Amino acid sequence: MLNLYLWTAIIWIIILVIGIAMRKKWLGKNFLRLAYILLILILLEGVCLLALKIKSGYWLFNEKYNLNAELFEPHPYLVGVPKKNAELRVNGITYSNNAEGFRGKEFEKAKSKTRIVAVGGSTTYGTSVNDWETWPAYLDSIMGADYEVLNFGISGHSTVEHIIQSSFILPEYKPDVVLVHCGLNDLRSAYIADLACDYSDFHAPNLFGALGFCPLNKLPRLAIIRAGVLILQKVKLYPECTYYQTAVRQDSSLMALERALELYERNLTTLSAILNKQGVELVFVPQLLHKDAIEGNKLKWWIPYVEDDQLLGLIDDYNKCMKEVAIKESGAFADEVLDYNWKGADFVDPSHLNADANLRFAEIISHYIKHDRDTIEFANQK
Protein backbone atom coordinates (compact mmCIF):
# COMPACT_ATOMS: atom_id res chain seq x y z
CA MET A 1 0.00 0.00 0.00
CA LEU A 2 2.81 2.41 0.84
CA ASN A 3 4.37 1.56 -2.53
CA LEU A 4 1.13 2.70 -4.19
CA TYR A 5 1.32 6.02 -2.37
CA LEU A 6 4.98 6.39 -3.34
CA TRP A 7 4.33 5.68 -7.03
CA THR A 8 1.33 8.03 -7.02
CA ALA A 9 3.54 10.81 -5.66
CA ILE A 10 6.23 10.10 -8.28
CA ILE A 11 3.67 10.09 -11.10
CA TRP A 12 2.20 13.37 -9.78
CA ILE A 13 5.65 14.99 -9.77
CA ILE A 14 6.31 13.79 -13.35
CA ILE A 15 2.95 15.12 -14.57
CA LEU A 16 3.53 18.42 -12.77
CA VAL A 17 7.04 18.84 -14.24
CA ILE A 18 5.80 18.09 -17.76
CA GLY A 19 2.92 20.52 -17.26
CA ILE A 20 5.17 23.31 -16.07
CA ALA A 21 7.68 22.71 -18.85
CA MET A 22 4.96 22.81 -21.52
CA ARG A 23 2.60 25.19 -19.76
CA LYS A 24 2.23 27.48 -22.81
CA LYS A 25 1.04 24.62 -24.98
CA TRP A 26 -2.33 22.88 -25.01
CA LEU A 27 -0.82 19.57 -23.84
CA GLY A 28 1.03 21.26 -20.99
CA LYS A 29 -2.13 23.01 -19.76
CA ASN A 30 -3.96 19.69 -19.64
CA PHE A 31 -1.08 18.10 -17.76
CA LEU A 32 -1.31 20.90 -15.18
CA ARG A 33 -5.07 20.37 -14.84
CA LEU A 34 -4.43 16.67 -14.33
CA ALA A 35 -1.75 17.48 -11.72
CA TYR A 36 -4.20 19.72 -9.82
CA ILE A 37 -6.90 17.02 -9.84
CA LEU A 38 -4.42 14.38 -8.70
CA LEU A 39 -3.16 16.70 -5.94
CA ILE A 40 -6.72 17.17 -4.66
CA LEU A 41 -7.22 13.40 -4.63
CA ILE A 42 -3.90 12.89 -2.82
CA LEU A 43 -4.85 15.46 -0.18
CA LEU A 44 -8.32 13.93 0.18
CA GLU A 45 -6.76 10.48 0.56
CA GLY A 46 -4.49 11.86 3.28
CA VAL A 47 -7.40 13.42 5.17
CA CYS A 48 -9.45 10.20 4.93
CA LEU A 49 -6.43 8.15 5.99
CA LEU A 50 -5.95 10.27 9.09
CA ALA A 51 -9.66 10.20 9.91
CA LEU A 52 -9.72 6.41 9.67
CA LYS A 53 -6.62 6.21 11.89
CA ILE A 54 -8.37 8.30 14.54
CA LYS A 55 -11.52 6.19 14.24
CA SER A 56 -9.98 2.70 14.17
CA GLY A 57 -6.65 3.20 15.93
CA TYR A 58 -4.53 1.82 13.06
CA TRP A 59 -3.35 2.93 9.63
CA LEU A 60 -5.31 1.52 6.73
CA PHE A 61 -2.12 0.74 4.80
CA ASN A 62 -1.22 -1.75 7.57
CA GLU A 63 -4.43 -3.70 6.95
CA LYS A 64 -3.74 -6.73 4.78
CA TYR A 65 -6.01 -8.63 2.46
CA ASN A 66 -7.39 -11.66 4.30
CA LEU A 67 -6.12 -14.65 2.32
CA ASN A 68 -8.60 -16.95 4.06
CA ALA A 69 -11.12 -15.74 1.49
CA GLU A 70 -9.12 -17.60 -1.18
CA LEU A 71 -9.49 -20.93 0.65
CA PHE A 72 -12.89 -20.70 2.33
CA GLU A 73 -16.41 -19.69 1.33
CA PRO A 74 -19.52 -18.78 3.35
CA HIS A 75 -21.87 -21.54 4.44
CA PRO A 76 -25.41 -21.04 5.80
CA TYR A 77 -24.91 -23.31 8.84
CA LEU A 78 -21.16 -23.75 9.27
CA VAL A 79 -20.20 -20.06 8.79
CA GLY A 80 -17.42 -21.08 6.41
CA VAL A 81 -16.19 -24.21 4.65
CA PRO A 82 -13.17 -24.91 2.42
CA LYS A 83 -13.66 -24.06 -1.25
CA LYS A 84 -13.58 -27.10 -3.47
CA ASN A 85 -10.46 -27.42 -5.67
CA ALA A 86 -8.93 -24.27 -4.17
CA GLU A 87 -5.17 -23.83 -3.94
CA LEU A 88 -3.07 -21.08 -2.44
CA ARG A 89 0.67 -20.70 -2.01
CA VAL A 90 1.78 -18.04 0.43
CA ASN A 91 5.12 -17.55 2.21
CA GLY A 92 6.30 -20.85 0.77
CA ILE A 93 3.33 -22.77 2.21
CA THR A 94 0.98 -24.72 -0.08
CA TYR A 95 -2.68 -24.97 0.89
CA SER A 96 -4.86 -27.27 -1.23
CA ASN A 97 -8.51 -28.19 -0.87
CA ASN A 98 -9.60 -31.28 -2.79
CA ALA A 99 -12.68 -31.87 -4.95
CA GLU A 100 -14.74 -32.85 -1.88
CA GLY A 101 -13.87 -29.55 -0.19
CA PHE A 102 -11.38 -30.77 2.42
CA ARG A 103 -7.67 -30.11 3.01
CA GLY A 104 -5.22 -32.46 1.36
CA LYS A 105 -5.14 -35.15 -1.28
CA GLU A 106 -8.07 -36.46 -3.30
CA PHE A 107 -10.02 -39.47 -2.04
CA GLU A 108 -12.99 -41.55 -3.09
CA LYS A 109 -16.22 -40.84 -1.24
CA ALA A 110 -16.91 -44.59 -1.00
CA LYS A 111 -14.42 -46.17 1.40
CA SER A 112 -12.36 -49.28 0.66
CA LYS A 113 -10.32 -49.39 3.87
CA THR A 114 -10.62 -48.39 7.53
CA ARG A 115 -11.51 -44.71 7.42
CA ILE A 116 -10.36 -42.24 10.03
CA VAL A 117 -11.73 -38.70 9.98
CA ALA A 118 -10.06 -35.81 11.83
CA VAL A 119 -12.50 -33.10 12.97
CA GLY A 120 -11.26 -29.81 14.37
CA GLY A 121 -10.31 -26.21 13.71
CA SER A 122 -7.21 -24.62 12.18
CA THR A 123 -4.85 -26.85 14.18
CA THR A 124 -6.40 -29.80 12.33
CA TYR A 125 -6.82 -28.05 8.98
CA GLY A 126 -3.12 -27.19 9.22
CA THR A 127 -2.56 -23.44 9.29
CA SER A 128 1.05 -22.44 8.54
CA VAL A 129 2.16 -25.86 7.25
CA ASN A 130 2.05 -27.54 3.84
CA ASP A 131 -0.63 -30.04 2.85
CA TRP A 132 1.69 -32.97 3.59
CA GLU A 133 2.80 -31.51 6.96
CA THR A 134 -0.55 -31.43 8.76
CA TRP A 135 -0.95 -33.98 11.54
CA PRO A 136 -3.81 -35.81 9.71
CA ALA A 137 -1.55 -36.13 6.63
CA TYR A 138 1.27 -37.54 8.74
CA LEU A 139 -1.16 -39.88 10.50
CA ASP A 140 -2.32 -41.15 7.10
CA SER A 141 1.28 -42.11 6.28
CA ILE A 142 1.90 -43.70 9.68
CA MET A 143 -1.24 -45.83 9.67
CA GLY A 144 -0.31 -47.70 6.50
CA ALA A 145 -2.15 -49.13 3.51
CA ASP A 146 -5.10 -50.59 5.44
CA TYR A 147 -6.16 -47.15 6.70
CA GLU A 148 -6.96 -43.74 5.27
CA VAL A 149 -7.10 -40.48 7.21
CA LEU A 150 -9.29 -37.65 5.96
CA ASN A 151 -8.78 -34.10 7.18
CA PHE A 152 -12.18 -32.53 7.90
CA GLY A 153 -10.66 -29.70 9.96
CA ILE A 154 -11.98 -26.22 9.19
CA SER A 155 -10.28 -23.09 10.49
CA GLY A 156 -12.14 -21.41 13.33
CA HIS A 157 -14.70 -24.14 13.89
CA SER A 158 -15.89 -24.80 17.43
CA THR A 159 -17.96 -27.64 18.89
CA VAL A 160 -21.09 -25.92 17.58
CA GLU A 161 -19.88 -26.37 14.00
CA HIS A 162 -18.53 -29.85 14.82
CA ILE A 163 -22.02 -30.93 15.91
CA ILE A 164 -23.54 -29.75 12.64
CA GLN A 165 -20.73 -31.30 10.59
CA SER A 166 -21.00 -34.62 12.44
CA SER A 167 -24.78 -34.71 12.09
CA PHE A 168 -25.11 -33.98 8.38
CA ILE A 169 -21.74 -34.36 6.63
CA LEU A 170 -19.79 -37.16 8.34
CA PRO A 171 -22.49 -39.84 7.75
CA GLU A 172 -21.99 -39.33 3.99
CA TYR A 173 -18.40 -40.58 4.35
CA LYS A 174 -19.07 -43.45 6.80
CA PRO A 175 -16.00 -43.11 9.05
CA ASP A 176 -14.88 -45.93 11.34
CA VAL A 177 -12.92 -43.67 13.68
CA VAL A 178 -13.43 -39.96 14.34
CA LEU A 179 -10.76 -37.86 16.05
CA VAL A 180 -12.20 -34.70 17.60
CA HIS A 181 -9.46 -32.14 18.26
CA CYS A 182 -11.00 -29.04 19.81
CA GLY A 183 -11.08 -26.61 22.74
CA LEU A 184 -9.38 -23.38 21.72
CA ASN A 185 -12.19 -22.11 19.49
CA ASP A 186 -14.67 -22.72 22.31
CA LEU A 187 -12.41 -21.12 24.91
CA ARG A 188 -12.48 -17.85 22.95
CA SER A 189 -16.10 -17.38 24.06
CA ALA A 190 -15.14 -17.46 27.76
CA TYR A 191 -16.01 -14.41 29.85
CA ILE A 192 -18.75 -13.18 27.52
CA ALA A 193 -21.82 -11.90 29.32
CA ASP A 194 -24.94 -14.00 28.74
CA LEU A 195 -23.16 -16.21 26.21
CA ALA A 196 -25.62 -17.62 23.66
CA CYS A 197 -25.94 -21.39 23.74
CA ASP A 198 -25.04 -21.60 20.03
CA TYR A 199 -22.25 -18.97 20.22
CA SER A 200 -24.24 -16.84 17.75
CA ASP A 201 -23.64 -13.63 19.70
CA PHE A 202 -19.86 -13.61 19.21
CA HIS A 203 -18.07 -16.62 17.76
CA ALA A 204 -20.08 -17.13 14.57
CA PRO A 205 -20.18 -13.50 13.35
CA ASN A 206 -16.55 -12.96 14.40
CA LEU A 207 -15.51 -16.08 12.48
CA PHE A 208 -17.32 -14.72 9.42
CA GLY A 209 -14.95 -11.75 9.50
CA ALA A 210 -11.87 -13.82 10.37
CA LEU A 211 -12.40 -15.99 7.28
CA GLY A 212 -12.31 -12.89 5.06
CA PHE A 213 -16.00 -12.84 4.13
CA CYS A 214 -16.61 -9.19 5.02
CA PRO A 215 -17.35 -7.10 1.89
CA LEU A 216 -14.58 -4.65 2.82
CA ASN A 217 -11.97 -7.39 2.39
CA LYS A 218 -12.64 -7.41 -1.37
CA LEU A 219 -12.08 -3.66 -1.83
CA PRO A 220 -8.79 -1.83 -2.54
CA ARG A 221 -7.06 -0.47 0.59
CA LEU A 222 -7.67 3.18 -0.34
CA ALA A 223 -8.85 5.52 2.40
CA ILE A 224 -11.16 7.40 0.01
CA ILE A 225 -12.95 4.17 -0.89
CA ARG A 226 -13.08 2.96 2.71
CA ALA A 227 -14.46 6.28 3.95
CA GLY A 228 -17.06 6.29 1.19
CA VAL A 229 -18.13 2.74 2.07
CA LEU A 230 -18.46 3.65 5.76
CA ILE A 231 -20.73 6.55 4.84
CA LEU A 232 -22.83 4.28 2.61
CA GLN A 233 -23.07 1.74 5.42
CA LYS A 234 -24.38 4.42 7.75
CA VAL A 235 -27.26 5.08 5.37
CA LYS A 236 -27.77 1.33 4.74
CA LEU A 237 -26.68 1.47 1.10
CA TYR A 238 -23.75 -0.94 1.48
CA PRO A 239 -23.77 -4.28 3.36
CA GLU A 240 -22.14 -4.24 6.78
CA CYS A 241 -20.08 -7.20 7.96
CA THR A 242 -21.98 -9.16 10.62
CA TYR A 243 -18.93 -9.01 12.88
CA TYR A 244 -19.35 -5.27 13.34
CA GLN A 245 -22.96 -5.78 14.37
CA THR A 246 -22.06 -7.78 17.48
CA ALA A 247 -22.44 -6.04 20.80
CA VAL A 248 -21.16 -8.52 23.38
CA ARG A 249 -20.03 -7.47 26.82
CA GLN A 250 -17.11 -8.83 28.78
CA ASP A 251 -17.95 -10.52 32.06
CA SER A 252 -14.92 -11.58 34.08
CA SER A 253 -16.97 -13.34 36.74
CA LEU A 254 -16.71 -17.01 37.66
CA MET A 255 -20.35 -17.40 36.66
CA ALA A 256 -19.57 -16.37 33.05
CA LEU A 257 -16.70 -18.88 32.89
CA GLU A 258 -18.89 -21.64 34.31
CA ARG A 259 -21.49 -20.85 31.65
CA ALA A 260 -18.90 -21.24 28.89
CA LEU A 261 -17.58 -24.52 30.32
CA GLU A 262 -21.11 -25.83 30.80
CA LEU A 263 -21.86 -25.20 27.12
CA TYR A 264 -18.58 -26.84 26.10
CA GLU A 265 -19.40 -29.95 28.14
CA ARG A 266 -22.91 -30.05 26.73
CA ASN A 267 -21.63 -29.76 23.17
CA LEU A 268 -19.03 -32.52 23.65
CA THR A 269 -21.72 -34.77 25.14
CA THR A 270 -24.01 -34.08 22.19
CA LEU A 271 -21.17 -34.70 19.77
CA SER A 272 -20.36 -37.99 21.48
CA ALA A 273 -24.00 -39.11 21.32
CA ILE A 274 -24.23 -38.30 17.61
CA LEU A 275 -21.08 -40.23 16.74
CA ASN A 276 -21.87 -43.16 19.02
CA LYS A 277 -25.26 -43.46 17.31
CA GLN A 278 -23.41 -43.76 14.01
CA GLY A 279 -21.34 -46.63 15.40
CA VAL A 280 -18.14 -44.63 15.20
CA GLU A 281 -15.11 -45.16 17.44
CA LEU A 282 -14.53 -41.73 19.00
CA VAL A 283 -11.21 -40.35 20.24
CA PHE A 284 -11.15 -36.94 21.89
CA VAL A 285 -7.88 -35.07 21.31
CA PRO A 286 -7.02 -32.18 23.68
CA GLN A 287 -5.77 -28.77 22.61
CA LEU A 288 -2.21 -27.55 23.12
CA LEU A 289 -0.82 -24.16 24.11
CA HIS A 290 2.66 -23.23 25.36
CA LYS A 291 3.58 -20.25 27.50
CA ASP A 292 6.58 -19.35 25.33
CA ALA A 293 4.39 -19.24 22.21
CA ILE A 294 1.49 -17.19 23.58
CA GLU A 295 3.22 -14.55 25.70
CA GLY A 296 2.89 -10.96 24.54
CA ASN A 297 -0.87 -11.01 23.89
CA LYS A 298 -0.27 -12.90 20.64
CA LEU A 299 -3.70 -14.56 20.84
CA LYS A 300 -5.59 -11.44 21.89
CA TRP A 301 -6.88 -10.89 18.34
CA TRP A 302 -8.64 -14.27 18.47
CA ILE A 303 -9.40 -14.60 22.19
CA PRO A 304 -10.08 -10.98 23.18
CA TYR A 305 -11.60 -11.44 26.64
CA VAL A 306 -8.94 -13.73 28.14
CA GLU A 307 -5.61 -12.42 29.43
CA ASP A 308 -2.25 -14.10 28.75
CA ASP A 309 -1.86 -15.32 32.31
CA GLN A 310 -5.29 -17.00 32.15
CA LEU A 311 -4.90 -18.88 28.87
CA LEU A 312 -2.90 -21.90 30.07
CA GLY A 313 -5.14 -22.42 33.08
CA LEU A 314 -8.27 -22.16 30.97
CA ILE A 315 -7.10 -24.54 28.26
CA ASP A 316 -6.36 -27.01 31.07
CA ASP A 317 -9.94 -26.55 32.31
CA TYR A 318 -11.31 -27.21 28.82
CA ASN A 319 -9.11 -30.29 28.38
CA LYS A 320 -10.22 -31.64 31.78
CA CYS A 321 -13.80 -31.07 30.74
CA MET A 322 -13.15 -33.06 27.56
CA LYS A 323 -11.62 -35.93 29.53
CA GLU A 324 -14.58 -36.03 31.92
CA VAL A 325 -16.96 -36.28 28.97
CA ALA A 326 -14.82 -39.06 27.47
CA ILE A 327 -15.03 -40.98 30.75
CA LYS A 328 -18.77 -40.47 31.06
CA GLU A 329 -19.53 -41.30 27.42
CA SER A 330 -17.09 -44.25 27.12
CA GLY A 331 -14.92 -42.52 24.57
CA ALA A 332 -11.14 -42.45 24.35
CA PHE A 333 -9.12 -39.44 25.50
CA ALA A 334 -5.65 -39.00 24.01
CA ASP A 335 -3.95 -37.81 27.18
CA GLU A 336 -0.50 -38.75 25.86
CA VAL A 337 -0.78 -35.55 23.83
CA LEU A 338 -0.63 -33.63 27.10
CA ASP A 339 2.05 -35.85 28.65
CA TYR A 340 4.60 -35.15 25.91
CA ASN A 341 7.17 -32.45 26.73
CA TRP A 342 6.22 -29.84 24.12
CA LYS A 343 8.42 -26.76 23.76
CA GLY A 344 7.79 -23.24 22.53
CA ALA A 345 9.92 -24.04 19.48
CA ASP A 346 7.37 -26.68 18.46
CA PHE A 347 4.91 -23.90 17.61
CA VAL A 348 5.03 -21.91 14.40
CA ASP A 349 2.73 -19.31 15.98
CA PRO A 350 0.80 -19.04 19.29
CA SER A 351 -1.52 -22.01 18.65
CA HIS A 352 -0.28 -24.00 15.63
CA LEU A 353 2.39 -26.69 15.65
CA ASN A 354 5.21 -26.71 13.09
CA ALA A 355 5.76 -29.62 10.69
CA ASP A 356 8.07 -31.64 12.96
CA ALA A 357 5.74 -31.23 15.94
CA ASN A 358 2.77 -32.27 13.80
CA LEU A 359 4.63 -35.47 12.97
CA ARG A 360 5.19 -36.20 16.66
CA PHE A 361 1.54 -35.32 17.35
CA ALA A 362 0.44 -37.83 14.69
CA GLU A 363 2.69 -40.53 16.12
CA ILE A 364 1.07 -40.05 19.52
CA ILE A 365 -2.45 -40.25 18.05
CA SER A 366 -1.55 -43.39 16.11
CA HIS A 367 -1.07 -45.21 19.45
CA TYR A 368 -4.79 -44.83 20.09
CA ILE A 369 -5.73 -46.39 16.77
CA LYS A 370 -3.26 -48.77 15.16
CA HIS A 371 -1.18 -50.26 17.96
CA ASP A 372 -3.82 -50.40 20.68
CA ARG A 373 -7.07 -50.55 18.74
CA ASP A 374 -8.10 -54.00 19.90
CA THR A 375 -7.10 -53.36 23.49
CA ILE A 376 -7.54 -49.59 23.63
CA GLU A 377 -7.81 -48.32 27.17
CA PHE A 378 -10.86 -46.12 27.18
CA ALA A 379 -10.83 -43.17 29.50
CA ASN A 380 -13.56 -44.60 31.75
CA GLN A 381 -11.26 -47.50 32.67
CA LYS A 382 -8.54 -45.21 33.99
Side-chain angles (χ1 to χ4, degrees), residues 78-380:
L78 294 168
V79 184
V81 295
K83 289 182 180 179
K84 294 180 179 180
N85 297 312
E87 184 170 323
L88 176 68
R89 185 168 178 81
V90 55
N91 297 327
I93 303 296
T94 298
Y95 298 88
S96 303
N97 300 332
N98 61 32
E100 291 291 323
F102 301 106
R103 178 84 187 268
K105 65 182 182 181
E106 299 293 342
F107 62 86
E108 296 294 330
K109 193 169 184 178
K111 67 178 181 179
S112 59
K113 54 184 73 174
T114 301
R115 174 166 285 178
I116 302 167
V117 169
V119 172
S122 60
T123 50
T124 302
Y125 178 81
T127 295
S128 299
V129 293
N130 289 295
D131 298 336
W132 55 92
E133 295 171 333
T134 68
W135 68 261
Y138 280 131
L139 182 61
D140 185 64
S141 299
I142 293 169
M143 295 303 296
D146 294 332
Y147 294 82
E148 62 178 351
V149 181
L150 312 183
N151 187 347
F152 279 30
I154 301 177
S155 294
H157 275 197
S158 70
T159 51
V160 171
E161 291 78 35
H162 299 336
I163 287 171
I164 297 171
Q165 187 185 43
S166 297
S167 298
F168 301 111
I169 298 174
L170 257 64
E172 294 289 302
Y173 297 89
K174 297 179 171 54
D176 298 290
V177 181
V178 171
L179 310 171
V180 178
H181 180 39
C182 62
L184 191 65
N185 293 334
D186 288 80
L187 185 155
R188 68 188 304 254
S189 294
Y191 296 126
I192 290 178
D194 303 316
L195 177 62
C197 60
D198 57 359
Y199 299 168
S200 59
D201 50 351
F202 170 68
H203 174 72
N206 182 269
L207 177 57
F208 187 88
L211 289 176
F213 300 153
C214 289
L216 290 179
N217 188 52
K218 301 175 183 178
L219 298 176
R221 268 50 175 178
L222 288 173
I224 294 176
I225 295 176
R226 179 63 59 87
V229 166
L230 291 176
I231 293 171
L232 291 175
Q233 286 178 335
K234 288 291 184 182
V235 295
K236 309 299 182 184
L237 293 177
Y238 192 88
E240 187 172 2
C241 182
T242 54
Y243 168 58
Y244 299 111
Q245 297 170 3
T246 60
V248 296
R249 293 181 296 105
Q250 183 175 2
D251 182 352
S252 300
S253 70
L254 180 60
M255 185 178 297
L257 176 59
E258 289 175 345
R259 166 68 173 171
L261 280 167
E262 175 191 347
L263 291 177
Y264 185 57
E265 179 184 5
R266 191 164 80 187
N267 289 348
L268 290 176
T269 303
T270 300
L271 192 58
S272 180
I274 291 169
L275 294 173
N276 285 337
K277 188 67 175 178
Q278 296 174 25
V280 170
E281 182 179 318
L282 173 61
V283 179
F284 282 120
V285 183
Q287 200 90 53
L288 297 173
L289 288 178
H290 193 282
K291 61 181 181 62
D292 292 341
I294 64 173
E295 63 184 5
N297 289 322
K298 293 176 183 175
L299 268 176
K300 200 70 173 176
W301 71 275
W302 185 239
I303 309 178
Y305 304 116
V306 178
E307 300 303 322
D308 267 12
D309 57 0
Q310 298 174 303
L311 277 172
L312 294 179
L314 284 180
I315 200 63
D316 283 345
D317 290 339
Y318 275 72
N319 288 335
K320 289 175 184 175
C321 179
M322 176 184 279
K323 184 171 184 176
E324 289 171 0
V325 172
I327 293 172
K328 183 173 63 176
E329 301 299 324
S330 299
F333 179 75
D335 47 9
E336 285 185 32
V337 167
L338 300 177
D339 294 337
Y340 185 75
N341 184 28
W342 302 102
K343 297 178 171 47
D346 292 319
F347 292 78
V348 69
D349 62 33
S351 59
H352 301 106
L353 294 172
N354 61 33
D356 290 339
N358 272 328
L359 175 57
R360 180 57 186 149
F361 191 93
E363 290 171 343
I364 293 171
I365 298 301
S366 71
H367 297 164
Y368 288 85
I369 307 167
K370 186 176 182 180
H371 304 301
D372 304 314
R373 193 167 184 211
D374 293 332
T375 58
I376 189 167
E377 186 177 8
F378 285 98
N380 67 332

